């Protein structure tokens, strides 16, 4: 891919979460990204510890409240009362609850960590993943193709929403998450045969 001073060629981090691996979907999901033109430049399978996955997410008050707000939105869409569901309407309290469930979820089995490189990689990968809640995700997206679960289901089962994939959403998340999962390992540099056509 031709180097681009405007920063159109980006790198981003994707995790195939334990449900994707356990369901045998790793290959199919990787193919979705590769087919769009995103190049695998680093890849590993790991069995992460609870402590390790706890440090994957930003854990800032804004991020915790954001997860709580997503839960509240699902309740609103479904006409459900948050008090009846989780005993509070406070996005922070709901977010903290979801954070703990996420630690259980991400440490429950092997995870595949990948760094993709390509045009508008951060946004393109998020678009391919679809909305956080598979129930609301576009049917053609990865989350919408392989699941229909939602925050309502997650809360009813006291578990994180099993939505198959994680993808960095900002350059800051990319920096933190690639360092977290790959440390000082350098991504591979090579040309894909179709790069001139895709660019
Ligand atoms: O993963 P994404 O960036 O789309 O969403 P997030 O708001 O950063 O939340 C991180 C993860 O927490 C989600 O991918 C879900 O697995 C989980 N989550 C949940 O289980 N229930 C919620 N109400 C919100 C998030
Ligand atoms: Mg996120």
């Amino acid at each position: 891919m031709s180097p681009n001073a405007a920063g159109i060629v980006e790198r981003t981090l994707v995790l195939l979460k334990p449900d994707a691996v356990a369901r045998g979907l790793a290959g199919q999901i990787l193919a979705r990204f590769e087919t769009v033109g995103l190049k695998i430049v680093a890849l590993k399978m790991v069995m992460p510890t609870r402590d390790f996955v706890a440090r994957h997410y930003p854990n800032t008050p804004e991020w915790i409240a954001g997860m709580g707000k997503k839960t509240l939105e699902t309740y609103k869409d479904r006409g459900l009362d948050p008090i009846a569901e989780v005993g509070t309407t406070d996005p922070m309290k709901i977010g903290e609850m979801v954070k703990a469930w996420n630690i259980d979820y991400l440490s429950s089995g092997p995870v595949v960590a990948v760094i993709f490189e390509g045009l508008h990689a951060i946004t393109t990968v998020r678009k391919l993943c679809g909305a956080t809640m598979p129930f609301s995700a576009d049917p053609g997206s990865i989350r919408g193709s392989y699941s229909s679960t939602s925050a309502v289901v997650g809360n009813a089962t006291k578990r994180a929403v099993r939505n198959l994939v994680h993808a960095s959403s900002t350059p800051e998340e990319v920096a933190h998450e690639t360092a977290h999962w790959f440390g000082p390992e350098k991504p591979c540099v090579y040309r894909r045969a179709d790069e001139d056509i895709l660019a």
Side-chain angles (χ1 to χ4, degrees), residues 23-80:
R23 290 177 60 196
L25 295 172
Q28 287 183 52
I29 294 174
L30 289 175
R32 295 280 192 110
F33 296 115
E34 282 193 294
T35 309
V36 170
L38 294 158
K39 177 163 70 178
I40 296 173
V41 293
L43 184 146
K44 62 159 77 156
M45 183 178 236
V46 280
M47 183 59 239
T49 63
R50 294 180 63 80
D51 175 60
F52 186 82
V53 297
R55 289 182 283 110
H56 160 73
Y57 286 115
N59 294 321
T60 57
E62 297 75 28
W63 179 79
I64 292 169
M67 281 197 305
K69 281 180 194 148
K70 279 182 190 172
T71 310
L72 289 166
E73 278 162 24
T74 309
Y75 292 153
K76 200 172 160 208
D77 291 348
R78 306 272 295 168
L80 294 168

Side-chain angles (χ1 to χ4, degrees), residues 68-69 71-77 79-91 94 97 155 158:
K69 281 180 194 148
T71 310
L72 289 166
E73 278 162 24
T74 309
Y75 292 153
K76 200 172 160 208
D77 291 348
L80 294 168
D81 173 14
I83 301 285
E85 295 296 318
V86 279
T88 177
T89 56
D90 180 350
I94 299 172
M97 191 179 67
N155 284 311
K158 302 279 177 269

Side-chain angles (χ1 to χ4, degrees), residues 138-162:
D138 287 344
S141 67
I142 293 164
R143 287 165 168 170
S145 293
Y146 297 117
S147 174
S148 61
T149 193
S150 67
V152 176
V153 178
N155 284 311
T157 54
K158 302 279 177 269
R159 288 196 302 232
V161 173
R162 293 174 179 178

Side-chain angles (χ1 to χ4, degrees), residues 77-172:
D77 291 348
R78 306 272 295 168
L80 294 168
D81 173 14
I83 301 285
E85 295 296 318
V86 279
T88 177
T89 56
D90 180 350
M92 277 303 282
K93 284 194 182 137
I94 299 172
E96 286 288 355
M97 191 179 67
V98 175
K99 182 181 141 188
W101 293 342
N102 262 324
I103 294 172
D104 294 338
Y105 172 32
L106 284 184
S107 63
S108 67
V111 167
V112 175
V114 191
I115 301 176
F116 280 106
E117 181 183 290
L119 299 174
H120 307 285
I122 301 173
T123 311
T124 303
V125 163
R126 294 283 297 184
K127 184 179 65 174
L128 290 169
C129 289
T132 301
M133 303 302 160
F135 172 75
S136 314
D138 287 344
S141 67
I142 293 164
R143 287 165 168 170
S145 293
Y146 297 117
S147 174
S148 61
T149 193
S150 67
V152 176
V153 178
N155 284 311
T157 54
K158 302 279 177 269
R159 288 196 302 232
V161 173
R162 293 174 179 178
N163 56 3
L164 302 125
V165 277
H166 164 81
S168 314
S169 57
T170 62
E172 293 72 30

